[in-house]
Amino acid sequence: MSLNAGKESREAHYQPRKEIMAGFSIVTNVNSLIAQDNLGKTNFTQQRTIERLTSGLRINSSADDAAGLAVANRFRSDIAVLQQGVRNAADGLSALQTIDGGLNNVSLLLDRGRTLATQSASGTFTGDRNTLNSEFQSVIEEINRQAQAIGLDPGGQFNAALKVFIGGGRANNGISETANGAVSIDLSNSAVNANRLGLAGVRALGGTEGTTDIGNSSSTNIENILADVTNSASVATAGFTEFDFSGPGFSDEGSATLAVNLSGVVDTSTLTAAINSAIAGFTAASAAGESFKNAEIQAVINTDTTGKQQLAFTSSNAAFQVQAGDQLANALLGNFDSGGPAGASLDVTRTGAVSATTAAAADVISVVVNGGGLQSPQTVSYTATIGDDQATVVAGLQAAIAANTTLSNAGFSVTEDGLGQASFTNGNGESFQVRVVGDASNVLGFGAAELGDSAEATYNTITTAFTAPAAGSTADFRILLEGAETAQTLSITVASAATIQDTVDEINAAIANNTTLSGAGFIAQVSGTDIVFETTTNGGGGNFVISVNDDDTNPLTDFTDVGATGVVLDAGTLGEGTGLVESTILSGGAQSTGAALADPIEFSSLFNGNDVQNLVVTAQNDAGAVNSVNINLTNANALTIDQAVNAINDSLQASNDTTLQKIVAVKERSGTGTEGIRFIANLPQGFSVGVGDLANNHGVANDTGAGDVLLQSSANLAGGSVADISSRENAEIAVSLLASAVSKLGTLQANVGRGQNRLQFAIGLATTQITNLSAAESRIRDADLATEAANLTRTSIAQQAGVAALAQANSAPQAVLALLRG
């Protein structure tokens, strides 16, 4: 092979390299630039590796791992919350342990109280019970002090629904992350003072301390009361007496009637035993009955400083009212007639005018009764025959009342005295209204209100035929709206040859000048040859009756002109010698409304069909939360005071708020004998009743002026009760109360113990969460030192090599000088 061939072969072999080789330059040192770039990268890597090794963290800035940093920061934040949450739980646990220790002290105090009560309850004890009672009262005072010290008195720091925020929760199923991360410990019903343990509360005292005495050898002692003929004749069942109790959840038609068996009752001790036996045996056949049982009312004997004794009733958890069901019970409550031992009469009587007339026609005489404890008006009727006298009509009506269980159970009756006076009576001490309709001859002496040719069942529309009156005739009409206490009089004068329309126009003009009738929507209208009286829908469509008085020429053909007698239809009044003001007693120590607490709030019937009044009852619970309920009184639910009280209590119970449900409205007589409404409650923090503007001047009294709301704030009724062991009988009751208190305390301790356990479990979970979250954060944020150490070695070698290569590259241009030397 020739030399040229070999040369050509070598040139062909090296041809590609020749294409990529750069020219030799002393201006741009490419190799130096490459070496510098790589050395810079090596330095950066080495710097980051050294930072990780010295900090121990893989992520030192967002640039290191932005996504990982976000996750690690969330973990770190959760850990911080949980760590504080563990401290919160530890603080809560310490507080509960302090409370638990206090409850243990209270338990020891109860033990001491039971010891003292048991000692005093012994019939063989010969020491001074007053000395025992002094220490016993000290025990109760110390219970109250310690309850306050540990924050479990009503309204205390820990007598609330507590939440300890720990964290670690997750939002799920509508529950927020915050809510899921908190431990709830409900101690809102865990107050532990004497009142909440049942050792103190409210007391209804019969009679007056220092005056009333149903014990010892007084003329009004138990033996004389039971032997009195008037008292024994008043009872519904021989050998029994009745007390009626009203309180939260058991009032109005749901009030609890207690029949007490008097067999074996000879003194105050056996009396309280008989009453408490009746309470224990009371059958709770309804929700109202259950509420009465839950009130835990007890009968006790109060011995005052003068040694006189009175019957009293106590409760630790409910305000209540006691009403005598007969004269015997009224005597036991210390309410006597002329000094006793007969109890004050409970009769409320409405007596008519003297009447010696007999029925002139076969009239249907109807009696409509409102009030008197009735929740709706009741009607009884008797169809008279011509010649029936008052005694006959009264006997017929009494038979109808006896057949009407609602009226008879409410204590209603009708009698006549043989001298021309008929009387309607309520024997339960309840005020009422009575109206007599259809007695055209006024046999009963209650007037002759009529229904014209209308049906008896409803009378919001009354129709009568029209007869043209003589010129200048005058007529007086009397209209009584249902529920109203007095009738309204319309006087008209009819011109000569007046038509039916002229007469109706005169009547309506007179109505327009009467605010009561016009407010009720009462009008007269022409219907063919008849005049129709009615109450319009705008007025509520209320019922009414009419009578015609002193009519020259009666234009209302179907009405009898009864002359000046008219229709007498006002409220039932107190009978002669009654003691109705003293037939009820209230629980002292409770919160109550009323002007200076002396009298109840006045009430007048919402008898106009469009009458509406608003009440707002507001109360604060132990935890400080304020709740209220709006109550609307209308013609439909407050026609009588009984209906109004029932509507108020129904609204309170329907509020589903346990604090508002402790308030009850009761009927009570003022010092003048007028029935009113009183609100009472066993709520130490009090309550208020906002009374809206009067509806056409009807409803719960509000004397603040037009449009203003009267705020009735509650205040304490005098009295109250604290368990005592000053007598054997009271000591026996105290033993029972203390046994119940031990049970209640056990329930409260269980609440506290349950809270401690929950916090301990929560601390355990939070600690586990902290451990796992810390591990997860470490895996993301912390550096792997083994890896980083290897990286440091690698970058150190690379750095050294790079420095050497850079030095070689920087010296390469000096080779050009060799060419210049040649």
mmCIF file of all heavy atoms in Angstrom, residues 544-561:
data_model
loop_
_atom_site.group_PDB
_atom_site.id
_atom_site.type_symbol
_atom_site.label_atom_id
_atom_site.label_comp_id
_atom_site.label_asym_id
_atom_site.label_seq_id
_atom_site.Cartn_x
_atom_site.Cartn_y
_atom_site.Cartn_z
ATOM 1 N N PHE A 544 -122.986 36.816 71.321
ATOM 2 C CA PHE A 544 -123.618 37.876 72.092
ATOM 3 C C PHE A 544 -125.087 37.506 72.307
ATOM 4 O O PHE A 544 -125.623 36.586 71.677
ATOM 5 C CB PHE A 544 -123.534 39.214 71.354
ATOM 6 C CG PHE A 544 -124.226 39.207 70.010
ATOM 7 C CD1 PHE A 544 -125.555 39.611 69.893
ATOM 8 C CD2 PHE A 544 -123.568 38.776 68.866
ATOM 9 C CE1 PHE A 544 -126.206 39.587 68.655
ATOM 10 C CE2 PHE A 544 -124.197 38.756 67.637
ATOM 11 C CZ PHE A 544 -125.518 39.158 67.529
ATOM 12 N N VAL A 545 -125.728 38.241 73.213
ATOM 13 C CA VAL A 545 -127.183 38.122 73.408
ATOM 14 C C VAL A 545 -127.766 39.529 73.492
ATOM 15 O O VAL A 545 -127.044 40.508 73.712
ATOM 16 C CB VAL A 545 -127.535 37.325 74.679
ATOM 17 C CG1 VAL A 545 -127.157 35.865 74.511
ATOM 18 C CG2 VAL A 545 -126.847 37.920 75.907
ATOM 19 N N ILE A 546 -129.104 39.630 73.298
ATOM 20 C CA ILE A 546 -129.791 40.929 73.239
ATOM 21 C C ILE A 546 -131.030 40.888 74.127
ATOM 22 O O ILE A 546 -131.689 39.854 74.245
ATOM 23 C CB ILE A 546 -130.229 41.267 71.794
ATOM 24 C CG1 ILE A 546 -129.010 41.365 70.868
ATOM 25 C CG2 ILE A 546 -131.003 42.576 71.750
ATOM 26 C CD1 ILE A 546 -129.372 41.602 69.417
ATOM 27 N N SER A 547 -131.312 42.029 74.723
ATOM 28 C CA SER A 547 -132.620 42.208 75.353
ATOM 29 C C SER A 547 -133.148 43.581 74.959
ATOM 30 O O SER A 547 -132.385 44.473 74.575
ATOM 31 C CB SER A 547 -132.528 42.092 76.879
ATOM 32 O OG SER A 547 -131.788 43.168 77.400
ATOM 33 N N VAL A 548 -134.473 43.760 75.015
ATOM 34 C CA VAL A 548 -135.114 45.037 74.689
ATOM 35 C C VAL A 548 -135.725 45.595 75.963
ATOM 36 O O VAL A 548 -136.422 44.892 76.687
ATOM 37 C CB VAL A 548 -136.203 44.851 73.617
ATOM 38 C CG1 VAL A 548 -136.889 46.179 73.335
ATOM 39 C CG2 VAL A 548 -135.583 44.283 72.351
ATOM 40 N N ASN A 549 -135.429 46.866 76.237
ATOM 41 C CA ASN A 549 -135.874 47.481 77.474
ATOM 42 C C ASN A 549 -136.645 48.764 77.181
ATOM 43 O O ASN A 549 -136.215 49.583 76.368
ATOM 44 C CB ASN A 549 -134.669 47.839 78.370
ATOM 45 C CG ASN A 549 -133.727 46.672 78.564
ATOM 46 O OD1 ASN A 549 -132.952 46.373 77.679
ATOM 47 N ND2 ASN A 549 -133.805 46.020 79.699
ATOM 48 N N ASP A 550 -137.760 48.958 77.869
ATOM 49 C CA ASP A 550 -138.521 50.201 77.796
ATOM 50 C C ASP A 550 -138.756 50.650 76.361
ATOM 51 O O ASP A 550 -138.374 51.747 75.942
ATOM 52 C CB ASP A 550 -137.786 51.321 78.570
ATOM 53 C CG ASP A 550 -137.733 51.016 80.057
ATOM 54 O OD1 ASP A 550 -138.643 50.330 80.530
ATOM 55 O OD2 ASP A 550 -136.776 51.453 80.714
ATOM 56 N N ASP A 551 -139.389 49.790 75.582
ATOM 57 C CA ASP A 551 -139.629 50.077 74.171
ATOM 58 C C ASP A 551 -141.073 50.546 74.001
ATOM 59 O O ASP A 551 -142.006 49.853 74.404
ATOM 60 C CB ASP A 551 -139.378 48.804 73.363
ATOM 61 C CG ASP A 551 -139.580 49.028 71.875
ATOM 62 O OD1 ASP A 551 -139.489 50.183 71.460
ATOM 63 O OD2 ASP A 551 -139.809 48.037 71.188
ATOM 64 N N ASP A 552 -141.236 51.762 73.406
ATOM 65 C CA ASP A 552 -142.597 52.268 73.194
ATOM 66 C C ASP A 552 -143.369 51.339 72.257
ATOM 67 O O ASP A 552 -144.483 50.910 72.541
ATOM 68 C CB ASP A 552 -142.541 53.684 72.589
ATOM 69 C CG ASP A 552 -141.983 54.691 73.588
ATOM 70 O OD1 ASP A 552 -142.012 54.384 74.797
ATOM 71 O OD2 ASP A 552 -141.503 55.740 73.156
ATOM 72 N N THR A 553 -142.784 51.074 71.115
ATOM 73 C CA THR A 553 -143.396 50.159 70.152
ATOM 74 C C THR A 553 -142.282 49.245 69.672
ATOM 75 O O THR A 553 -141.419 49.670 68.907
ATOM 76 C CB THR A 553 -143.990 50.919 68.955
ATOM 77 O OG1 THR A 553 -144.920 51.887 69.438
ATOM 78 C CG2 THR A 553 -144.710 49.949 68.019
ATOM 79 N N ASN A 554 -142.289 48.028 70.137
ATOM 80 C CA ASN A 554 -141.156 47.118 69.911
ATOM 81 C C ASN A 554 -140.987 46.802 68.425
ATOM 82 O O ASN A 554 -141.815 46.119 67.842
ATOM 83 C CB ASN A 554 -141.384 45.826 70.704
ATOM 84 C CG ASN A 554 -140.166 44.929 70.669
ATOM 85 O OD1 ASN A 554 -139.156 45.259 70.063
ATOM 86 N ND2 ASN A 554 -140.274 43.787 71.336
ATOM 87 N N PRO A 555 -139.884 47.296 67.778
ATOM 88 C CA PRO A 555 -139.681 46.950 66.367
ATOM 89 C C PRO A 555 -139.109 45.548 66.188
ATOM 90 O O PRO A 555 -139.096 45.020 65.090
ATOM 91 C CB PRO A 555 -138.694 48.022 65.897
ATOM 92 C CG PRO A 555 -137.909 48.367 67.115
ATOM 93 C CD PRO A 555 -138.857 48.223 68.280
ATOM 94 N N LEU A 556 -138.598 44.962 67.294
ATOM 95 C CA LEU A 556 -138.005 43.628 67.213
ATOM 96 C C LEU A 556 -139.044 42.622 67.689
ATOM 97 O O LEU A 556 -139.139 42.285 68.860
ATOM 98 C CB LEU A 556 -136.728 43.554 68.065
ATOM 99 C CG LEU A 556 -135.680 44.652 67.791
ATOM 100 C CD1 LEU A 556 -134.466 44.451 68.664
ATOM 101 C CD2 LEU A 556 -135.280 44.663 66.324
ATOM 102 N N THR A 557 -139.834 42.135 66.770
ATOM 103 C CA THR A 557 -141.012 41.344 67.102
ATOM 104 C C THR A 557 -140.688 40.109 67.947
ATOM 105 O O THR A 557 -141.453 39.745 68.850
ATOM 106 C CB THR A 557 -141.715 40.904 65.794
ATOM 107 O OG1 THR A 557 -142.010 42.074 65.031
ATOM 108 C CG2 THR A 557 -142.980 40.137 66.099
ATOM 109 N N ASP A 558 -139.554 39.457 67.680
ATOM 110 C CA ASP A 558 -139.259 38.201 68.368
ATOM 111 C C ASP A 558 -138.658 38.398 69.755
ATOM 112 O O ASP A 558 -138.328 37.427 70.434
ATOM 113 C CB ASP A 558 -138.289 37.360 67.524
ATOM 114 C CG ASP A 558 -138.953 36.873 66.246
ATOM 115 O OD1 ASP A 558 -140.130 36.501 66.318
ATOM 116 O OD2 ASP A 558 -138.291 36.887 65.188
ATOM 117 N N PHE A 559 -138.493 39.661 70.191
ATOM 118 C CA PHE A 559 -137.971 39.918 71.523
ATOM 119 C C PHE A 559 -139.069 40.459 72.415
ATOM 120 O O PHE A 559 -139.859 41.302 72.014
ATOM 121 C CB PHE A 559 -136.815 40.929 71.477
ATOM 122 C CG PHE A 559 -135.568 40.376 70.850
ATOM 123 C CD1 PHE A 559 -134.957 41.033 69.800
ATOM 124 C CD2 PHE A 559 -135.008 39.193 71.320
ATOM 125 C CE1 PHE A 559 -133.804 40.533 69.228
ATOM 126 C CE2 PHE A 559 -133.864 38.692 70.750
ATOM 127 C CZ PHE A 559 -133.249 39.349 69.694
ATOM 128 N N THR A 560 -139.088 39.989 73.646
ATOM 129 C CA THR A 560 -140.065 40.479 74.611
ATOM 130 C C THR A 560 -139.541 41.737 75.285
ATOM 131 O O THR A 560 -138.378 41.791 75.700
ATOM 132 C CB THR A 560 -140.328 39.405 75.688
ATOM 133 O OG1 THR A 560 -140.819 38.232 75.061
ATOM 134 C CG2 THR A 560 -141.340 39.910 76.708
ATOM 135 N N ASP A 561 -140.379 42.753 75.381
ATOM 136 C CA ASP A 561 -139.995 43.974 76.085
ATOM 137 C C ASP A 561 -140.045 43.669 77.585
ATOM 138 O O ASP A 561 -141.101 43.407 78.148
ATOM 139 C CB ASP A 561 -140.977 45.101 75.731
ATOM 140 C CG ASP A 561 -140.607 46.418 76.398
ATOM 141 O OD1 ASP A 561 -139.630 46.416 77.165
ATOM 142 O OD2 ASP A 561 -141.293 47.414 76.145
#
